[in-house]
């Protein structure tokens, strides 16, 4: 942790809490199941996704990817491709327009924009990974571009890539920091703690590489305007960050770049930073002086977009016979690239979940010659909870103790490593409610004790955990004389219900009927503020910005009302009024005026504010996270080893659930992705040459409908007083704990402990 950060955290502890957010105690739209505002547009096919924009004079680009992991493209034969029908250009490092290498993420200054890799894009003949773009073909049609791409012949000078995790892990290094957190934390003496233990477990867990497979593959359309400005339609989780990064790469003024993304078909972390194809699309459009569309093929996503790192983690737990931890060790090695240096935070859950007098968490990383690894739904927490929550289960069996009871015994009263209070942590309540609903207590606890014909049946449970994030951000708000309001932020809607949740929240704050409020997003020309749909932060981030904007607008409206002595608000202080019935009214009294009346009498058509939320002081003062308990039942075929998930119940503690319809859907989606992580998904990576061998949905198996049982979701719905409107994040927590819960259920069913994902049938025979 930086010195500055620790000073701020210490200072934050002495600050008084913000006053309780009144919205938390009011009946309103927040908390209600409302249909998505864009449901109709989506069902009717009217919602426009990036590749669907109808741009006149559009041409089509296709990438040629390197087939070696390191070396040089010494000669690229472009002639046949250039002569092919419809081809407008064949672009290589020899003729590509000038681009600067993009910057890596810097969370203290998101406004600079960022990419996951800071490698120069196609600047020279150097090859850094298998799959790296080495040429861009632009043609009149997609088919012509694809055909021409097949004619490009690249002669390589092959270097020796470092691509084997197995061979390099002994040389792993401790990263400087992990997302601003220390890479290692030591409390007490774990060796003494392990020596003092009456029961202990100590095992290594492995997770494979995983790749992004959002239903909408990555796509970009770039249009250079006559005045030198750039307009880009891009499937991105942040129009604002993409605009800043493109401005940087092409040396343009920020206001000369506009990025548009009204709808994104899933992102999961794979569409946050700038990837090379986005810049190459813009470069190609510049080259041919025409609009260009570059939509990655499914294989292209595997080649050009990073996924989740491979990991090897050790968890060692020591405990007394009563189950009290005497030591907790969680260490891990993950892979990254020299141009990224992103160590996936797999030890983060172990920093916050259990009380132990002795603790050591520490991570190392190795740098390989691959595409930059990146965020993928609950990076760190998903694979980290697999190791930690499997180990807790292993300890429970050693102790002959119920695994929920073991967790209860070690439930901390304050954060184990930050030494701060929890803002709100009702994990045990989630366990209690989940266990009751699932019927946890009724099972036969002995491994391999439940059978249904040839199927061995088992139940498992594991903790879900994902931290709360919020970033300072701006929102603009316009209230018009007709009694309507518009909120604007450059937010992303990837299918999770952002616009719907934001309208619910704004309507409550403004005291307006929901159909009088609209939410504009997905366009970087909206307020310039680094909003991104990542880290499960977007809802809280925008809520805080809207809260600030509404307060400012209300103060402005009060000033207008105070100019008239006949106003029922005359003499009222801001603290004495509340928003309801379309206006401002004295608390507990009839007197007040609608927004329409105030504006009309002031002779104004509207009032408009643009306001910033403050720093997330709540995060410095408290340990804040969402929690949950993942219960499942699996059936393992005795003869074939086939694993079927037959029941699921997720019981969550995420603060206030803003919209149960969209929220439950988010949590379910996370669990589906977790089932894939546990049982079916695995990037097959050739460790000899560094090439992904299964870059298609035919060979990379995401779970399909028949792999997923009905998923029941329950939640505490206890508002977190320190989060805007009481709501913490829900986007990523769903995937956490899922793989451990399944592995624990598989052990219960079969007596076999699988510590190596995915749990495929060969490992069970
Ligand atoms: Mo999330 S992995 O930050 O989209």
């Amino acid at each position: 942790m930086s010195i500055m950060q620790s000073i701020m955290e210490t200072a934050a502890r002495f600050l008084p809490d913000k006053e309780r957010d009144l919205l938390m105690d009011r009946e309103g739209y927040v908390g209600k199941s409302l249909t998505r505002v864009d449901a109709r547009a989506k069902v009717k096919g009217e919602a426009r996704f990036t590749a669907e924009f109808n741009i006149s004079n559009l041409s089509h680009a296709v990438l040629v990817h390197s087939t070696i992991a390191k070396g040089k493209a010494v000669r690229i034969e472009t002639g046949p491709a250039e002569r092919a029908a419809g081809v407008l250009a064949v672009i290589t490092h020899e003729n590509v327009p000038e681009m600067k290498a993009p910057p890596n993420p810097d969370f203290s200054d998101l406004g600079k924009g960022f990419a996951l890799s800071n490698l120069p894009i196609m600047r020279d003949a150097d090859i850094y990974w298998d799959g790296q773009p080495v040429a861009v073909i632009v043609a009149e049609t997609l088919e012509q571009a694809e055909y021409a791409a097949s004619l490009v012949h690249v002669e390589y000078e092959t270097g020796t890539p470092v691509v084997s995790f197995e061979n390099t892990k002994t040389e792993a290094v401790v990263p400087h920091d992990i997302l601003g957190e220390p890479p290692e934390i030591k409390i007490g003496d774990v060796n003494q703690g392990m020596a003092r233990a009456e029961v202990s477990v100590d095992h290594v867990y492995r997770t494979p590489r995983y790749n992004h497979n959002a239903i909408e593959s990555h796509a970009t359309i770039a249009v250079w305007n006559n005045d030198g400005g750039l307009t880009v339609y891009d499937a991105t989780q942040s129009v604002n960050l993409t605009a800043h990064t493109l401005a940087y790469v092409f040396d343009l003024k920020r206001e000369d770049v506009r990025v548009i993304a009204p709808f994104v078909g899933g992102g999961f972390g794979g569409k946050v930073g700038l990837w090379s194809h986005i810049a190459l699309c813009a470069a190609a459009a510049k080259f041919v002086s025409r609009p260009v569309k570059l939509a990655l093929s499914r294989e292209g996503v595997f080649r050009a977009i990073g996924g989740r790192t491979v990991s090897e983690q050790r968890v060692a737990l020591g405990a007394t016979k009563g189950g009290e931890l005497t030591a907790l060790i969680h260490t891990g090695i993950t892979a990254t690239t020299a141009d990224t240096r992103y160590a996936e935070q797999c030890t983060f859950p172990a920093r916050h979940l259990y009380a132990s007098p002795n603790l050591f968490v520490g991570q190392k990383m190795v740098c390989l010659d691959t595409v930059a690894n990146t965020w993928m739904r609950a990076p760190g927490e998903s694979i980290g909870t697999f190791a930690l929550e499997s180990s807790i289960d292993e300890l429970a069996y050693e102790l002959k103790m119920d695994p929920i009871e073991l967790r209860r015994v070690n439930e901390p009263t304050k954060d184990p490593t930050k030494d701060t209070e929890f803002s709100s942590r009702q994990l045990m309540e989630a366990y209690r409610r989940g266990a009751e609903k699932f019927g946890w207590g009724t099972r036969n606890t002995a491994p391999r004790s439940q059978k249904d014909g040839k199927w061995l049946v088992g139940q498992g449970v594991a903790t879900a955990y994902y931290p709360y994030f919020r970033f300072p951000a701006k929102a603009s708000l316009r209230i018009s004389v007709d009694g309507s309001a518009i909120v604007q932020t450059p937010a992303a809607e990837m299918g999770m219900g952002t616009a719907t949740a934001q309208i619910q929240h704004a309507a409550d704050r403004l005291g307006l009927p929901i159909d009088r409020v609209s939410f504009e997003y997905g366009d970087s020309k909206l307020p310039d503020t680094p909003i991104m749909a990542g880290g499960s932060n977007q809802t809280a981030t925008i809520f805080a910005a809207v809260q600030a904007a509404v307060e400012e607008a209300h103060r402005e409206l009060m000033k207008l009302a105070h100019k008239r002595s006949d106003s029922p608000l005359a003499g009222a202080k801001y603290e004495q009024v509340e928003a309801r019935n379309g206006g401002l009214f004295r608390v507990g009294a009839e007197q007040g005026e609608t927004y329409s009346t105030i504006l009309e009498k002031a002779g104004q058509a509207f009032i408009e504010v643009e306001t910033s939320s403050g720093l997330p002081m709540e995060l410095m003062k408290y340990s804040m996270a969402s929690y949950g308990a993942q219960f499942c039942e699996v059936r393992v075929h005795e003869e074939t080893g086939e694993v079927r998930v037959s029941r699921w119940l997720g019981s969550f503690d995420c603060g206030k659930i803003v919209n149960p319809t969209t929220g439950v859907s988010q949590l379910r989606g996370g669990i589906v992705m977790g089932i894939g992580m546990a049982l079916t998904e695995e990037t097959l990576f050739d460790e000899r040459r560094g090439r992904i061998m299964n870059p298609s949905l035919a060979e990379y198996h995401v779970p399909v409908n028949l792999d997923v049982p009905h998923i029941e979701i329950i939640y505490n719905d206890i508002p977190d007083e320190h989060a805007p409107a009481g709501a913490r994040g829900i986007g990523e927590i769903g995937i956490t704990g899922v793989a451990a819960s399944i592995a624990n259920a598989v052990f219960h069913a079969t007596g076999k402990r699988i510590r190596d994902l995915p749990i495929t049938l060969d490992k069970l025979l």
Side-chain angles (χ1 to χ4, degrees):
M1 190 182 335
S2 72
I3 293 170
M4 200 53 218
Q5 198 175 350
S6 83
I7 291 172
M8 274 168 73
E9 286 194 8
T10 310
R13 286 187 208 178
F14 297 100
L15 284 176
D17 278 335
K18 269 183 83 171
E19 271 175 53
R20 187 177 165 86
D21 181 357
L22 291 174
L23 203 62
M24 246 178 273
D25 306 315
R26 259 170 59 176
E27 268 294 300
Y29 296 110
V30 168
K32 294 224 163 60
S33 267
L34 293 181
T35 306
R36 287 153 202 275
V37 292
D38 45 29
R40 184 178 270 276
K42 285 196 169 172
V43 171
K44 291 175 80 180
E46 287 165 358
R48 282 279 161 275
F49 291 79
T50 294
E52 300 175 324
F53 277 88
N54 212 347
I55 307 290
S56 69
N57 203 26
L58 189 63
S59 58
H60 299 262
V62 164
L63 299 178
V64 176
H65 302 271
S66 161
T67 55
I68 64 160
K70 193 173 181 67
K72 277 186 191 307
V74 284
R75 206 174 71 85
I76 304 179
E77 195 189 307
T78 57
E82 276 161 359
R83 288 188 294 274
V87 169
L88 299 167
V90 177
I91 305 167
T92 69
H93 66 88
E94 287 175 347
N95 57 355
V96 72
E98 178 82 21
M99 284 181 277
K100 279 200 268 182
N104 273 148
D106 175 357
F107 289 94
S108 61
D109 187 5
L110 283 174
K112 284 196 301 208
F114 61 81
L116 280 309
S117 157
N118 62 11
L119 284 174
I121 299 163
M122 229 196 236
R123 190 187 59 193
D124 51 33
D126 289 346
I127 305 291
Y128 297 89
W129 81 87
D130 183 304
Q132 174 189 320
V134 290
V136 187
I137 315 296
V138 191
E140 292 290 347
T141 70
L142 174 63
E143 293 74 15
Q144 288 169 335
E146 277 176 346
Y147 175 65
S150 75
L151 302 176
V152 174
H153 179 72
V154 186
E155 244 173 65
Y156 296 103
E157 190 181 286
T158 307
T160 311
V162 178
V163 286
S164 169
F165 182 69
E166 271 318 295
N167 296 343
T168 45
K169 67 191 186 196
T170 50
E171 296 152 30
V173 295
V174 177
H176 171 268
D177 69 291
I178 306 170
L179 300 176
E181 303 272 337
E184 294 181 340
I185 297 178
K186 191 188 277 186
I187 295 171
D189 183 331
V190 281
N191 292 330
Q192 275 181 23
M194 287 304 282
R196 196 159 64 76
E198 292 169 300
V199 179
S200 64
V201 290
D202 186 349
H203 296 289
V204 171
Y205 302 84
R206 293 184 174 84
T207 61
R209 292 176 170 79
Y210 295 100
N211 269 85
H212 277 291
N213 276 291
I215 191 77
E216 177 206 27
S217 64
H218 297 238
T220 308
I221 295 175
V223 187
W224 288 89
N225 317 321
N226 293 333
D227 58 4
L230 173 65
T231 301
V232 168
Y233 302 83
D234 185 52
T236 175
Q237 293 176 232
S238 177
V239 287
N240 182 268
L241 295 181
T242 300
H244 276 278
T245 322
L246 283 171
Y248 182 86
V249 168
F250 288 96
D251 217 355
L252 296 166
K253 289 211 276 297
R254 162 63 187 86
E255 57 271 26
D256 291 338
V257 181
R258 180 172 174 199
V259 177
I260 299 168
F263 295 101
V264 178
F268 311 107
K271 294 174 180 167
V272 181
L274 184 106
W275 295 96
S276 58
H277 70 282
I278 304 172
L280 286 172
C281 181
K286 195 173 201 178
F287 193 92
V288 299
S289 303
R290 268 177 69 173
V292 171
K293 171 168 21 175
L294 199 169
L296 293 182
S297 63
R298 189 57 62 178
E299 176 175 353
V301 178
F302 279 82
R303 301 277 178 239
I305 309 294
R308 195 193 296 284
T309 170
V310 60
S311 85
E312 185 174 291
Q313 304 171 60
R314 173 192 172 210
V315 183
L317 302 172
T320 65
K321 283 198 179 116
E324 277 174 41
L325 290 179
T326 57
L328 189 166
I329 300 171
H330 189 170
T331 58
I333 305 173
T334 62
T336 184
T337 62
D339 49 285
T340 303
R341 303 192 81 76
Y342 167 49
E344 187 167 323
Q345 58 272 30
C346 60
T347 62
F348 277 19
R351 299 170 185 218
H352 308 289
L353 281 177
Y354 299 105
S356 174
N358 304 295
L359 175 143
F360 179 76
V361 292
Q363 283 188 231
K364 291 183 176 177
M365 62 181 191
V366 297
C367 289
L368 302 180
D369 296 317
T370 64
V371 63
N373 62 309
T374 192
W375 305 313
M376 185 163 174
R377 211 172 197 164
E381 283 77 14
S382 52
I383 57 174
T385 50
F386 167 63
L388 179 65
E389 293 299 295
S390 292
S391 180
I392 289 282
D393 199 67
E394 299 204 49
L395 181 65
Y397 277 102
E398 291 295 323
L399 287 161
K400 297 193 172 43
M401 193 171 177
D402 179 79
I404 300 177
E405 178 61 13
L406 175 60
R407 291 179 174 91
R408 199 190 58 73
V409 167
N410 293 291
E411 177 69 1
T413 51
K414 61 178 185 170
D415 191 281
T417 53
K418 274 180 74 183
D419 200 37
T420 49
E421 304 291 320
F422 295 113
S423 62
S424 167
R425 168 152 156 159
Q426 305 293 339
L427 173 58
M428 286 302 126
E429 174 65 3
Y431 265 108
R432 189 193 63 73
R433 300 177 77 228
E436 190 179 294
K437 190 107 202 235
F438 186 80
W440 180 254
T442 63
R443 67 187 196 137
N444 182 336
T445 56
R448 214 181 173 96
S449 61
Q450 306 178 124
K451 239 178 130 171
D452 179 6
K454 296 268 186 204
W455 294 90
L456 303 168
V457 182
Q459 291 85 26
V461 74
T463 294
Y465 167 86
Y466 193 80
Y468 162 93
F469 292 111
R470 180 172 78 74
F471 297 102
K474 276 190 277 189
S476 82
L477 168 66
R478 173 194 285 232
I479 302 173
S480 296
V481 70
D482 66 359
S484 67
I486 301 174
V487 176
Q488 294 181 321
T489 72
E493 170 63 91
M494 309 189 281
M496 63 281 203
T498 298
T500 315
Q502 292 302 333
I503 287 174
Q504 290 175 259
H505 174 256
D508 279 354
R509 291 240 181 254
L510 289 162
L512 283 172
I514 199 148
D515 57 3
R516 305 302 287 148
V517 181
S518 48
F519 181 70
E520 292 181 2
Y521 64 92
D523 190 332
S524 69
K525 79 165 200 269
L526 298 171
D528 186 5
T529 185
I531 284 176
M532 62 156 164
S536 301
N537 87 92
Q538 193 176 243
T539 301
T541 292
I542 303 175
F543 275 14
V546 169
Q547 186 175 5
V550 169
E551 177 172 339
E552 191 180 332
H554 282 166
R555 288 184 189 277
E556 293 292 316
L557 287 161
M558 296 277 292
K559 277 189 213 157
L560 292 180
H562 285 169
K563 286 186 184 159
R564 289 181 290 115
S565 54
D566 67 327
S567 168
L569 294 169
K573 293 202 175 75
Y574 173 78
E575 292 73 25
Q576 294 168 325
V577 301
E578 62 186 7
R580 61 181 146 92
N581 302 334
L584 290 170
F585 292 83
R586 287 176 190 262
V587 177
E590 288 299 304
Q591 298 110 301
E593 281 184 319
T594 62
Y595 302 135
S596 299
T597 307
I598 298 172
L599 288 166
E600 199 185 308
K601 296 214 165 167
Q604 277 186 223
F606 61 84
I607 178 173
E608 191 162 45
V609 297
E610 187 174 298
T611 318
S612 285
S613 60
L615 285 170
M617 297 312 270
E618 71 273 28
L619 259 167
M620 296 174 194
K621 200 164 174 187
Y622 296 100
S623 173
M624 295 183 76
S626 285
Y627 306 93
Q630 306 271 21
F631 292 84
C632 77
E633 179 177 274
V634 303
R635 299 160 74 84
V636 183
H637 198 275
E638 217 179 354
E639 285 168 0
T640 66
E642 181 183 354
V643 181
R644 309 298 305 171
V645 180
S646 48
R647 283 174 66 203
W648 204 281
L649 173 88
S651 177
F652 291 93
D653 178 54
C654 305
K656 184 84 192 156
I657 297 295
V658 177
N659 181 332
T661 302
T662 55
V664 164
S665 179
Q666 278 255 76
L667 293 164
R668 277 202 186 110
I671 291 164
V672 172
M673 207 162 160
I675 291 173
M677 177 181 158
L679 297 176
T680 64
E681 293 181 50
E682 175 175 22
T683 302
L684 300 172
F685 183 78
D686 186 335
E687 289 236 324
R688 295 162 304 180
R689 49 179 296 199
R691 186 167 173 83
I692 292 172
M693 301 311 288
N694 58 340
S696 78
L697 288 175
E699 294 171 290
Y700 181 101
H701 298 145
V702 296
V704 296
N705 205 26
L706 277 175
D707 295 318
V708 181
H710 172 69
I711 295 172
E712 194 173 350
I713 302 288
I714 58 175
Y715 45 89
N716 293 339
D717 214 20
I718 301 168
D720 187 325
E721 291 196 26
H722 305 291
R728 294 191 301 258
I730 54 170
E732 284 160 277
I733 186 167
I735 192 175
T736 70
V738 171
S741 184
I742 291 175
N744 297 344
V746 166
F747 177 77
H748 183 227
T750 64
K752 282 188 187 153
R753 179 61 67 174
I754 310 299
R755 303 187 182 94
D756 180 9
L757 294 182
I759 305 170
T760 44
L761 44 79
D762 51 301
K763 295 173 187 168
L764 285 162
L765 291 176

